[in-house]
Amino acid sequence: MIKNVAIIGLGLLGGSVGLAAAKHLPDITTTGYDAAPDVRAKAAELALVGTVCETLAETVRDADLVVLCVPVGAMRNAAGGLKGLLKQGAIVSDVGSSKQSVLDDLRAELPGQIIIPAHPVAGTEQSGPDAGFATLFTGRWCILTPPAGADEDAVTALTAFWQGLGAKTEIMEAAHHDLVLAVTSHIPHLIAYTIVGTASDLEDVTRSEVIKYSAGGFRDFTRIAASDPVMWRDVFLQNKGAVLEMLGRFTEDLTAMQRAIRSGDGETLEELFERTRKIRRSIIEQGQDDAAPDFGRDH
Ligand code: NAP
């Protein structure tokens, strides 16, 4: 059973895990640590965890579960810091957006430890200790990617923990997770970053015009493109293979659209737009988004 949880990294995800545990799992004790002293001070002020500690050793001393909530490029370093500090049988997990690289990094740094990576598919474009909130995981999926032969009791305990925080859980292989998330999350972020970058570099359309008329669709991309630069830099570098594979497919499909527009092939365009509209309807039917028009904005 998981009684003591240590959270390393007290930004949006770490803070939300702490707040959700306090709200939904009051019998669990939480400790937390962040590399940045100002983040530790803010986390203590906001009571993101039960105790904000000044050292890693103190943070993980009694932990049955350690959750690494740092950017995926910092996972190896964070795991390395735990060497020799963990209780016998403690589970080491994380919330990183890519999974194969995290699994490899944690195994390399903590051989012999129970390692069960996880990814709550929940977030916002905000980051830092002020951004966390207790309901972030409510009704959202958390994908666990235990390696082959992982301790079954530990998988069951981690599943129960995430369900306790309000999430729905799924088990997946790390490599498959990375392909799925490349197309549902990583490529959409790359497209948003690119289109917003392109618009800000235009010479014959001014930046003030782009901002003024953004309600035509552009502003929906800007929400995603405002996501944390360090976190997303790391996601693309750590999930390189899957992202490049999906980007290849996307580029081919984009070229087909370019051809359809150039040749006046309205049938191809309409057929795609009919299919994509159905995807939106399925997302709403499955409770993954609000049915209100224009994301429920006040008009
Ligand atoms: P965040 O708000 O920037 O928080 C990360 C915190 O970790 C920062 O305070 C950072 O401090 C700290 N940190 C970095 N290296 C550390 C280390 N070695 N030891 C201790 N603390 C360290 O980021 P986040 O949005 O919570 O993202 C955390 C993880 O969640 C990432 O792996 C991300 O892929 C994953 N995730 C994010 C979302 C999302 O929507 N944001 C959704 C699902 C999963 P400094 O800033 O001083 O480096």
Side-chain angles (χ1 to χ4, degrees), residues 28-245:
I28 282 184
T29 301
T30 55
T31 50
Y33 176 81
D34 195 285
D38 58 325
V39 174
R40 292 201 295 274
K42 193 72 192 170
E45 184 191 320
L46 297 170
L48 298 182
V49 289
T51 311
V52 176
C53 303
E54 286 302 307
T55 65
L56 265 181
E58 192 194 340
T59 315
V60 303
R61 192 179 51 216
D62 299 321
D64 309 301
L65 168 66
V66 179
V67 189
L68 301 176
C69 301
V70 303
V72 286
M75 289 288 177
R76 184 154 188 165
N77 184 268
L82 301 175
K83 267 183 205 152
L85 302 179
L86 299 171
K87 218 166 73 166
Q88 176 82 20
I91 304 168
V92 180
S93 188
D94 74 304
V95 295
S97 305
S98 68
K99 294 275 57 93
Q100 189 65 53
S101 70
V102 173
L103 179 60
D104 295 344
D105 285 349
L106 299 196
R107 279 175 142 178
E109 293 296 328
L110 300 167
Q113 202 71 44
I114 301 176
I115 290 164
I116 314 208
H119 175 205
V121 187
T124 73
E125 67 279 20
Q126 310 284 327
S127 55
D130 299 297
F133 55 101
T135 53
L136 178 63
F137 311 112
T138 307
R140 305 263 77 97
W141 287 101
C142 180
I143 304 172
L144 276 64
T145 60
D151 183 305
E152 281 182 23
D153 290 344
V155 176
T156 305
L158 189 64
T159 300
F161 175 71
W162 276 104
Q163 289 178 354
L165 297 187
K168 303 183 283 186
T169 56
E170 185 85 55
I171 305 271
M172 224 180 251
E173 261 185 50
H176 186 66
H177 164 281
D178 288 355
L179 268 184
V180 173
L181 270 290
V183 76
T184 58
S185 171
H186 307 169
I187 298 289
H189 276 78
L190 195 65
I191 293 168
Y193 282 124
T194 308
I195 185 102
V196 176
T198 302
S200 77
D201 289 343
L202 291 173
E203 279 151 18
D204 38 7
V205 176
T206 65
R207 194 179 289 199
S208 65
E209 285 173 309
V210 169
I211 293 167
K212 187 169 167 187
Y213 301 115
S214 64
F218 182 74
R219 70 178 178 188
D220 290 344
F221 285 101
T222 63
R223 184 191 71 76
I224 299 179
S227 300
D228 191 76
V230 171
M231 171 194 153
W232 282 98
R233 175 203 65 193
D234 282 6
V235 169
F236 292 115
L237 297 181
Q238 300 296 320
N239 197 24
K240 188 173 172 175
V243 167
L244 291 179
E245 190 174 329

Side-chain angles (χ1 to χ4, degrees), residues 256-257 260-261 263-275:
M257 286 295 104
I261 293 168
S263 64
D265 178 1
E267 211 176 305
T268 296
L269 297 176
E270 201 177 330
E271 190 270 328
L272 174 68
F273 303 161
E274 287 293 346
R275 273 196 290 132

